Amino acid sequence: MNFRNFVAELKRRHVYQVSAAYAVAAWLLIQIATQVFPFFAVPEWVVRLIILLLILGFPIAVVCSWAFEITPDGIKREGELSPRSTRATGRKLAALIVVLAAAAVGLFVFRLVHSQKAVEKKKPEALAVEIDHKSIAVLPFGNLSEDKANAYFVSGMRDEILTSLAQLRDLKVRSRTSTDKYRGDPGNPGALGRELGVASLLEGSVQKAGDEVLINVQLIEAHSGKHLWGQSYRQNVRDIFGVQGQVAQQVAEALRIKLAPAQERRLLVPPTTNVRAHDLYLRGHALGAHADEKSLEGKIALLQEAVAEDPHYAVAWGDLAGAYLTIADAYRAPRDFLDRIRHAALMSVRNDDTAGVGHIWLGAVSMLYDRNFPLAKRELERAVAL
């Protein structure tokens, strides 16, 4: 018998149909065993035994399909049957395969839909565990001023509010760099909260016209989009200094964060009350922490003016130390700036020991250039604590 005749004989004896029917039926039995048996506390070894028997039974079924046929009169050897009986058996096998395949597809679709529903149901529970409800991201504020040159002021207000919130020890605050990309339309609060890993979002806008400033802020629960708190502050630019602390205080209250008396007092003490020094600081701060040489030179000039206006402006001194260190590290000879870095960082710490920025740069210069590692460790740990 040549190969072509052998294949034709396999087809005539319905070996293909029997193999397909056996495979589909075995798959269904395995699915039923793995899904139903655990419900009745059937031992796992029974399921494994069934699977093993089904595997061992496959070659037996193939051999039997070659040698025998199932007829209304019972099982008979293939050589004893007429061609008409063989065709009838083939049609019955084809029908059986269709029924079994339909059942297999139905079971597969049911399991797929059921598993997707289970995943969707577990998602909120998993997120609830992973995301701390005392966590927040401050999104970029919208600039509603007619004069778009006031963008530096808008950005500065947002950053100062973020800094005030970061002082709340029980609140996890996402960094500015992680939220800057959401400028404009941030999109769905739920998706945004999941992406940032926070439970709350603080949105806001600033409108500045001459000396009048209008600041709108609202606190949103990320997963539901529910409005938790909102406030508008209409102030003269001379009276703007306490707003940042007030916002942090209101957010803490909305999120049920208990503030110690010392913490509350610290929030309400503005870093400066000098309008010109504050404006110079915001203009310098808006130029960024890692800028090109020209921008760094401009930032240093603005911050030098700010601390000249208010020598007790600790945050401005700290930013100035950072600008000195950045330009020395990237563009200039460090030895020409070391005294200025140390002086600015020490002035920041001496004027306000609770301003973390001064401790950051004092720790950095102690570690990178002075090799005074005990002092660097102490200062950087203090910065983290603040």
Side-chain angles (χ1 to χ4, degrees):
M1 181 184 292
N2 62 31
F3 181 73
R4 183 175 296 179
N5 290 337
F6 177 68
V7 171
E9 193 67 17
L10 287 174
K11 183 176 181 182
R12 187 184 70 80
R13 297 184 184 220
H14 312 299
V15 175
Y16 295 135
Q17 292 97 320
V18 170
S19 300
Y22 188 95
V24 175
W27 185 84
L28 282 170
L29 286 172
I30 291 170
Q31 297 304 309
I32 292 169
T34 55
Q35 297 298 314
V36 176
F37 281 17
F39 181 76
F40 293 103
V42 177
E44 288 186 9
W45 68 265
V46 177
V47 177
R48 289 195 289 268
L49 178 62
I50 290 173
I51 295 172
L52 181 62
L53 291 174
L54 288 170
I55 294 171
L56 293 174
F58 180 75
I60 297 172
V62 171
V63 171
C64 289
S65 69
W66 173 272
F68 302 96
E69 291 281 358
I70 299 175
T71 71
D73 299 324
I75 298 175
K76 294 188 177 182
R77 291 182 63 86
E78 192 278 333
E80 300 173 0
L81 298 175
S82 65
R84 182 176 296 179
S85 299
T86 303
R87 285 194 295 270
T89 302
R91 286 194 294 271
K92 290 177 182 177
L93 281 172
L96 177 62
I97 291 171
V98 170
V99 171
L100 290 173
V105 170
L107 179 61
F108 177 77
V109 171
F110 172 78
R111 288 190 62 191
L112 182 64
V113 172
H114 184 71
S115 63
Q116 286 180 339
K117 286 182 178 179
V119 169
E120 292 298 323
K121 185 178 179 182
K122 287 181 180 179
K123 274 183 182 178
E125 297 174 3
L127 287 170
V129 173
E130 293 172 5
I131 298 178
D132 191 331
H133 76 282
K134 292 180 180 179
S135 55
I136 192 170
V138 182
L139 302 178
F141 282 12
N143 181 12
L144 304 183
S145 309
E146 289 186 10
D147 185 358
K148 298 307 175 185
N150 285 322
Y152 79 93
F153 186 86
V154 176
S155 176
M157 287 293 100
R158 176 247 186 157
D159 286 352
E160 289 188 332
I161 289 172
L162 191 153
T163 301
S164 294
L165 288 170
Q167 294 177 31
L168 306 180
R169 291 192 177 184
D170 293 334
L171 183 64
K172 295 180 180 178
V173 184
R174 288 305 301 262
S175 67
R176 172 187 175 178
T177 53
S178 62
T179 56
D180 273 350
K181 62 182 177 181
Y182 301 106
R183 197 173 302 280
D185 182 12
N188 178 269
L192 193 56
R194 287 191 296 272
E195 189 173 339
L196 291 169
V198 295
S200 306
L201 302 169
L202 190 73
E203 296 180 338
S205 64
V206 178
Q207 185 175 8
K208 185 173 184 288
D211 289 340
E212 296 299 316
V213 180
L214 174 64
I215 301 174
N216 292 303
V217 286
Q218 59 175 339
L219 183 66
I220 297 170
E221 188 177 59
H223 77 88
S224 67
K226 184 171 71 175
H227 185 273
L228 298 176
W229 167 80
Q231 184 74 41
S232 293
Y233 302 88
R234 188 181 294 275
Q235 302 279 358
N236 186 282
V237 72
R238 291 187 297 275
D239 305 317
I240 201 69
F241 305 106
V243 170
Q244 301 88 329
Q246 291 175 41
V247 170
Q249 197 176 34
Q250 293 293 336
V251 167
E253 186 176 330
L255 297 179
R256 299 179 182 178
I257 296 173
K258 187 172 179 60
L259 300 178
Q263 201 173 20
E264 196 164 1
R265 286 194 299 271
R266 180 178 159 202
L267 280 177
L268 298 179
V269 176
T272 186
T273 55
N274 185 306
V275 176
R276 176 166 164 71
H278 185 239
D279 187 73
L280 289 164
Y281 165 76
L282 293 182
R283 289 178 185 274
H285 185 74
L287 292 174
H290 302 285
D292 56 82
E293 184 177 8
K294 185 176 180 182
S295 296
L296 281 168
E297 289 174 347
K299 179 173 185 171
I300 288 169
L302 288 165
L303 291 172
Q304 285 173 335
E305 284 190 69
V307 295
E309 282 285 335
D310 182 359
H312 303 292
Y313 198 170
V315 176
W317 277 114
D319 258 23
L320 181 57
Y324 281 148
L325 192 147
T326 304
I327 201 169
D329 185 56
Y331 302 106
R332 307 290 175 80
R335 64 177 177 274
D336 295 338
F337 280 84
L338 287 181
D339 289 340
R340 281 180 274 184
I341 297 168
R342 291 192 201 94
H343 175 71
L346 285 168
M347 287 296 292
S348 177
V349 170
R350 287 170 183 170
N351 280 289
D352 185 1
D353 186 59
T354 64
V357 65
H359 294 283
I360 288 173
W361 298 118
L362 185 55
V365 73
S366 300
M367 177 177 66
L368 297 173
Y369 298 111
D370 296 340
R371 296 294 191 268
N372 187 341
F373 297 115
L375 177 60
K377 182 174 183 292
R378 185 169 69 248
E379 290 300 313
L380 293 174
E381 285 177 347
R382 174 68 171 151
V384 171
L386 289 168

